[in-house]
């Protein structure tokens, strides 16, 4: 992204700056977060969203929460830090990057517990910036590995937004598309609109147009028809949490998309950094699925579309079983036909 989705402004006394994604594509406006309530709400309300960006926001949010801690005592400082991280943990349940980043900040604090609190704060500030930098590098590497899987002249379908807006800069699924384009391949994209919150229509099509991509927007219920017409060569999506066996949670509708792709013999790729894997859970059935408010389903663009009193079910994610995934593209390499052994081998180097 020419304009960063998330960054830190103004040195260690500064604040977190994000693009408020709820206002796109109509308005490109920034939100400045200088207290953890604002950080928490920004994550909860999808002002900052997408698994890697949520992780970065959580790390910076931790620093926002502890930078003013007025103590020289590690125990008191740790108590404050745990209050902050436990609070941020309650913002969204599915993207494991949130929990990964918070744990990393906690481990950093423990590792430097012998240092004076002021030094410790500086180290936590550096750790948050490091998480952002690493994510930028991972995105680039995901793009490079993924681009090798795309033939010249391909048409790629994508879902939700797994682009620069969802990460520290370049994206995961969209990084693959950007890298393929940069390597001279002539790529076209179908972006699915992604109800209820329209991340595909509002964010992906906006972002791809900014990058000069040939993008066509479709409603989610057009997927099977577009595929049977032979318009799609491959699908690439992101992920919010990948279990040890390669099952991947992503935006609601991804599971259906994978089933339809398989029916039509279309390769289905998941692109995600290593920080999106959760090796503590054996399979996708253990992934907590966020349920969101009814009004996201009963309204569209602020306009009510359903009668008062109707019951609503609004799960925000579903799980793509590993057997429907052609390959998972990570910054460490590609896991073809993923299973527990292959995931373990790439991530831990054993098995
Ligand atoms: O609810 P959202 O918009 O945070 O959901 C985002 C997704 O499902 C993305 O595909 C996923 O987080 C990967 S982002 C690189």
């Amino acid at each position: 992204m020419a304009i960063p989705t998330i960054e830190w402004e103004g040195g260690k006394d500064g604040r977190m700056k994000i693009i408020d994604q709820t206002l796109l594509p109509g308005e490109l406006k920034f939100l400045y977060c200088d207290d953890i309530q604002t950080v928490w709400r920004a994550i909860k309300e999808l002002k900052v969203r997408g698994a890697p960006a949520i992780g970065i926001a959580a790390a910076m949010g931790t620093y926002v929460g502890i930078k003013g801690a007025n103590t020289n005592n590690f125990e008191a400082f740790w108590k404050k830090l745990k209050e902050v991280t436990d609070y941020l943990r309650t913002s969204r349940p599915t993207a494991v990057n949130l929990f990964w980043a918070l744990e990393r900040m906690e481990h950093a604090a423990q590792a430097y517990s012998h240092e004076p609190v002021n030094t410790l704060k500086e180290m936590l500030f550096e750790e948050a910036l490091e998480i952002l930098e690493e994510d930028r590098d991972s995105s680039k590497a995901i793009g490079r590995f993924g681009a090798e899987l795309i033939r010249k002249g391909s048409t790629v379908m994508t879902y939700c937004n797994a682009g620069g807006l969802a990460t520290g800069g370049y994206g995961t699924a969209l990084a693959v598309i950007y890298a393929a384009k940069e390597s001279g391949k002539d790529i076209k994209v179908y972006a699915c609109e992604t109800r209820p919150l329209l991340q595909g229509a509002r964010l992906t099509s906006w972002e791809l147009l900014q990058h000069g991509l040939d993008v066509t927007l479709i409603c989610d219920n057009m997927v099977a028809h577009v595929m049977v017409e032979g318009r799609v060569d491959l699908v690439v999506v992101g992920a919010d949490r990948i279990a040890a066996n390669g099952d991947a949670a992503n935006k609601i509708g991804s599971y259906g998309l994978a089933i339809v792709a398989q029916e039509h013999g279309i390769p289905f790729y998941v692109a995600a950094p290593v920080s999106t894997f959760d090796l503590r859970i054996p399979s996708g059935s253990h992934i907590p699925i966020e349920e969101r408010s009814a009004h996201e389903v009963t309204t569209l663009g602020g306009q009510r579309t359903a009668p008062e009193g109707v019951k609503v079910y609004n799960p925000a994610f579903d799980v793509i079983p590993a057997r429907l995934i052609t390959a998972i593209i990570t910054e460490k390499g590609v896991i073809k036909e993923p299973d527990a052994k292959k995931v373990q081998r790439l991530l831990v180097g054993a098995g």
Side-chain angles (χ1 to χ4, degrees):
M1 292 278 298
I3 306 155
T5 302
I6 177 162
E7 62 183 330
W8 187 266
E9 190 184 76
K12 62 183 168 48
D13 295 321
R15 55 201 181 153
M16 181 174 116
K17 177 183 176 188
I18 58 165
I19 295 178
D20 182 347
Q21 298 189 35
T22 59
L23 303 175
L24 287 172
E27 226 182 318
L28 177 60
K29 216 173 152 187
F30 299 100
L31 176 72
Y32 297 88
C33 304
D34 207 12
D35 61 82
I36 52 162
Q37 286 75 21
T38 310
V39 175
W40 189 93
R41 270 203 312 278
I43 298 173
K44 177 78 181 172
E45 294 169 6
L46 275 60
K47 293 177 193 301
V48 59
R49 50 146 297 284
I54 292 172
I56 298 161
M60 287 186 179
T62 303
Y63 180 69
V64 166
I66 54 90
K67 74 178 160 70
N70 194 12
T71 175
N72 290 321
N73 171 275
F74 178 75
E75 294 311 320
F77 178 73
W78 174 251
K79 191 166 172 275
K80 173 72 189 159
L81 183 127
K82 274 295 283 172
E83 268 170 34
V84 170
T85 52
D86 286 345
Y87 173 59
L88 291 174
R89 273 187 179 90
T90 64
S91 56
R92 292 193 77 188
T94 303
V96 78
N97 305 60
L98 173 86
F99 306 93
W100 168 86
L102 293 171
E103 255 178 52
R104 192 163 145 176
M105 295 297 280
E106 289 171 352
H107 285 155
Q110 286 291 349
Y112 295 106
S113 58
H114 53 281
E115 299 282 355
V117 167
N118 275 342
T119 312
L120 191 48
K121 283 186 197 171
E122 279 171 27
M123 285 170 160
L124 290 172
F125 175 60
E126 294 302 329
E127 189 74 12
L129 296 188
E130 181 68 26
I131 288 175
L132 170 63
E133 276 314 309
E134 284 175 14
D135 183 73
R136 288 185 176 153
D137 293 344
S138 306
S139 288
K140 288 275 179 187
I142 289 170
R144 279 194 300 275
F145 280 119
E148 287 170 22
L149 303 168
I150 300 192
R151 276 204 289 272
K152 239 169 118 178
S154 294
T155 300
V156 184
M157 181 174 277
T158 190
Y159 197 73
C160 192
N161 172 267
L165 284 168
T167 64
Y170 197 57
T172 58
L174 297 194
V176 173
I177 293 169
Y178 295 143
K181 184 178 181 248
E182 281 158 21
S183 70
K185 294 173 180 168
D186 177 25
I187 303 296
K188 291 191 172 64
V189 183
Y190 276 100
C192 302
E193 107 184 302
T194 319
R195 266 290 274 158
L197 294 179
L198 304 175
Q199 288 92 330
R202 294 189 301 105
L203 308 177
T204 295
S205 53
W206 180 80
E207 189 181 322
L208 290 175
L209 286 174
Q210 300 269 317
H211 280 81
L213 262 294
D214 178 334
V215 55
T216 303
L217 178 64
I218 58 167
C219 299
D220 302 333
N221 53 7
M222 298 171 189
V223 162
H225 182 71
V226 170
M227 284 188 180
V228 80
E229 283 184 328
R231 293 173 185 266
V232 181
D233 297 305
L234 66 147
V235 179
V236 190
V237 301
D240 283 81
R241 194 186 290 229
I242 304 176
N245 69 345
D247 292 350
N250 192 47
K251 180 52 57 194
I252 189 76
S254 300
Y255 175 35
L257 188 60
I259 293 171
V260 182
Q262 190 183 57
E263 168 69 17
H264 296 93
I266 296 169
F268 189 99
Y269 296 102
V270 172
V274 166
S275 55
T276 298
F277 284 78
D278 184 354
L279 299 185
R280 294 173 190 170
I281 55 168
S283 68
S285 60
H286 299 263
I287 298 176
I289 301 293
E290 177 180 15
E291 268 189 55
R292 294 187 59 88
S293 148
H295 89 265
E296 293 180 354
V297 175
T298 56
T299 59
L300 191 55
Q303 203 69 19
R304 188 147 186 119
T305 55
E308 294 289 346
V310 69
K311 288 197 290 184
V312 168
Y313 178 45
N314 184 15
F317 298 95
D318 57 20
V319 177
I320 312 153
R323 71 188 139 77
L324 296 179
I325 300 173
T326 309
I328 303 176
I329 305 159
T330 78
E331 72 273 34
K332 285 185 144 190
V334 175
I335 311 170
K336 291 191 178 146
E337 293 173 19
D339 63 21
K341 261 197 168 153
K342 292 180 193 169
V343 168
Q344 171 84 6
R345 205 176 300 141
L346 187 87
L347 267 63
V348 197

